[in-house]
Amino acid sequence: MSEAAVSYYLEEYERFRASRPVAPASPQRAQALEFLQTHGFPTRRMEQWKYTDITPITRRKFTIGDAVATQADAALIDKLRFTRLDCHELVFINGHFCAQLSNLGELAPGATVRALQTQAQDNATVAARYFGDEDLGQAFTALNAVFLDDGALLHLPTGTALSRPLHIIYFSTDNTDTPHISHPHNKVVLGRHASASVIETYAGVPDARYFTNTHTSILAQAGARLDYYKIQHESQRAYHIGNTRIRQDADSRVDCHALTLGAKLARWDIDVDLNEPGAEVMLNGLYLGNNSQHLDNHTVVRHKQPHTTSREHYRGIMDGRARAVFNGKVIVHEQAQKTEAHQSNANLLLSDAAEVDTKPELEIYADDVKCSHGATVGQLDENMLFYLRSRAVNEDTARSLLTYAFADEIVRDIRLPELRARLEQGIVGELPDTDVIKEFMQ
C-alpha cells in the first residue's frame, strides 16, 4: 500500500508541477522527493507509528483542491473568527490564500505577515536564511515539502512586538466527487526580544471528506516570546496530519497550546530543540475524542544546553469507541546540566469501549537535573460523583461537571480570553445538561 501511495503522489506531483509555476520557498523539494521514494509512508511495524494505522489515508487518492469558497463557506469561516481579539487574519481555502476573506490591518514597522505565494523571492530568502537546514523528519513532512505551494509567513525583526494576535485560518470545502488534500506550510521567525501570539485554526465543512497535511516551522531567537495556539477542529470525516518544529535560542520562551477536537484520524508531532541556555518551552495539550475518532499526539523535547526548562501537560477525554495515543519524549543531553523538565499525561475514559495508549519517556545523559514524568488513564472519581449526588446534583450533570473540570485544567492556562471562552463553551456543548453546566460556570 505504501509503494502504491508513493507512486500516486509522484504522479500527482508531475500534474501539480505542470499546472502551475514551481512554488516558492522550497529548497528541500528534491530531497523530499528522494525521501518519499526511498522511505515511503510509515507502517505500524515502525515504533513511532505502532498504534496509528494510516491506511485510511494512503489507500485514498486525494487531489489538490481549488481555492473556491461559496457564501455558505464564508459564513462558516466568519464563525471561526475572534472578533473581540481584533486579530490580523490570513484565510486559506483548501490550502490557497484568499485575500478577499483575509484582513491584516496595520503592522508594526518592519513586521512581515503575508502568504507564501505573495512576494515569493522575499519569502524564499527568509526560508533559506532561517530554515535551510530543516530536517524532513518523516514521510508526511516530505510530502508537504514536495507540494509546498502556499501558507503563512510571520517575520518580526529585533525588538518588534505584534500587538494583535495573528489568526491563520485553514478552511476546507466540500467536494463530493473527489476528496481533496491541502499542504499548508507556515514559517514563524521571531527576532531577538520580539513577541507575538499566533493562532492556527483548521476546520472545514461538516461531514466533508478531505486531508490536511500541515507543517509549521518556528524559530524563537534570543529573548523572544511566542504564544502559539493550534486548534484542530476538522470535519468528523476528515484526516489531519500535522508537524510543528520549534527551535529556541537563549532566554526565549514558547508556550504551545495543542487543542485537538475534530477529524476522523488526526496526528500531531511537536519537535522542540532548546539550543541555548535559558530557553523555556511549555507544551499544553487537550484532545477530545468520540465515536470512532483516532487522535495521536507525539512530542519530542531536546535539552541541548544547560539551564533550559520544559513543562508538558496533556489531557485527553475519550468517549464512544474513540482511541487516543500519547507519546512524549524528553531528551537531556550530556552538557545540559541544571535542566528542569516535567511531563504529565492524564486521560479520562467515559465509556468502556474507549482506549488510550500512553508512553511518556525520559532520556537523561546529565547528572544535575530535575526531571519527572507520569501518565494516568482512568474513569471519573466515584467519590466525587457521590459528593455531587449527595448535594442534589443528578448523575448526568455530575458526570458532566467533573468532565468539564478535568478539561478546564488545560483550557484555563490560555491567555487570550475570547479563545479560552470559546473552547470552554465548545467543551460544555459536547456534554449532557449543557444549560445547567453553564449556570455552574457563571
Side-chain angles (χ1 to χ4, degrees), residues 120-132:
Q121 185 56 51
D122 291 343
N123 296 334
T125 301
V126 171
R129 179 179 179 184
Y130 295 107
F131 302 105

Side-chain angles (χ1 to χ4, degrees), residues 168-426:
I168 309 168
I169 299 175
Y170 287 101
F171 187 84
S172 294
T173 62
D174 194 9
N175 187 336
T176 56
D177 297 328
T178 305
H180 61 262
I181 186 171
S182 62
H183 301 278
H185 196 102
N186 307 302
K187 294 189 180 296
V188 177
V189 181
L190 301 188
R192 294 170 60 87
H193 303 289
S195 61
S197 294
V198 176
I199 308 168
E200 292 178 17
T201 296
Y202 295 85
V205 174
D207 293 327
R209 179 179 283 120
Y210 56 88
F211 176 26
T212 303
N213 177 40
T214 179
H215 180 81
T216 297
S217 299
I218 296 170
L219 172 60
Q221 295 183 309
R225 173 64 184 265
L226 175 66
D227 288 339
Y228 171 70
Y229 306 87
K230 178 181 171 182
I231 307 169
Q232 187 275 100
H233 204 168
E234 307 273 25
S235 157
Q236 290 287 313
R237 300 176 67 198
Y239 304 92
H240 183 101
I241 303 290
N243 185 285
T244 299
R245 182 80 167 89
I246 302 172
R247 293 183 291 160
Q248 296 183 232
D249 293 343
D251 300 316
S252 63
R253 173 161 177 167
V254 174
D255 288 357
C256 175
H257 300 268
L259 305 163
T260 301
L261 309 174
K264 181 177 179 62
L265 185 156
R267 171 156 170 152
W268 189 9
D269 286 71
I270 303 178
D271 193 291
V272 183
D273 282 340
L274 302 177
N275 290 323
E276 295 181 354
E280 182 176 356
V281 67
M282 180 182 76
L283 302 181
N284 203 26
L286 175 66
Y287 44 95
L288 307 178
N290 203 344
N291 300 320
S292 59
Q293 285 181 275
H294 184 100
L295 309 177
D296 186 347
N297 288 275
H298 272 62
T299 67
V300 178
V301 180
R302 300 180 190 85
H303 293 260
K304 294 187 173 182
Q305 294 295 327
H307 299 282
T308 53
T309 303
S310 67
R311 294 180 177 86
E312 184 171 1
H313 187 192
Y314 270 66
R315 289 198 167 202
I317 301 173
M318 295 290 109
D319 203 352
R321 291 175 288 108
R323 182 174 184 177
V325 180
F326 175 81
N327 189 170
K329 177 180 286 189
V330 176
I331 304 172
V332 182
H333 290 223
E334 184 176 1
Q335 66 272 26
Q337 305 294 340
K338 304 296 183 180
T339 282
E340 186 170 352
H342 302 287
Q343 179 191 99
S344 68
N345 175 230
N347 297 277
L348 182 60
L349 301 182
L350 301 181
S351 79
D352 293 337
E355 183 178 351
V356 173
D357 296 288
T358 179
K359 185 182 179 184
E361 299 179 74
L362 282 175
E363 292 184 13
I364 303 174
Y365 302 98
D367 52 18
D368 187 5
V369 300
K370 294 180 181 179
C371 296
S372 66
H373 73 302
T376 61
V377 179
Q379 298 177 330
L380 291 172
D381 190 319
E382 293 295 331
N383 291 327
M384 293 300 298
L385 281 172
F386 177 79
Y387 176 84
L388 291 174
R389 293 295 307 280
S390 69
R391 277 146 181 81
V393 178
N394 69 56
E395 183 171 355
D396 286 344
T397 302
R399 289 183 176 277
S400 295
L401 284 170
L402 292 176
T403 302
Y404 169 78
F406 180 87
D408 200 52
E409 286 284 327
I410 298 296
V411 177
R412 69 187 182 189
D413 286 336
I414 293 174
R415 292 188 180 89
L416 301 177
E418 187 178 1
L419 174 56
R420 182 174 62 249
R422 181 177 297 181
L423 291 170
E424 288 174 343
Q425 293 299 326

Side-chain angles (χ1 to χ4, degrees), residues 37-86:
Q37 290 174 304
T38 303
H39 299 281
F41 289 96
T43 69
R44 296 186 66 179
R45 292 190 296 272
M46 302 175 182
E47 181 64 27
Q48 291 298 304
W49 294 85
K50 181 178 180 180
Y51 300 107
T52 298
D53 181 9
I54 63 165
T55 54
I57 295 175
T58 56
R59 73 187 179 196
R60 287 183 169 85
K61 294 184 177 181
F62 297 95
T63 60
I64 301 296
D66 296 324
V68 178
T70 66
Q71 289 185 346
D73 296 331
L76 291 172
I77 292 170
D78 285 341
K79 294 180 180 179
L80 301 173
R81 303 181 195 272
F82 298 101
T83 55
R84 293 194 298 273
L85 291 178
D86 191 26

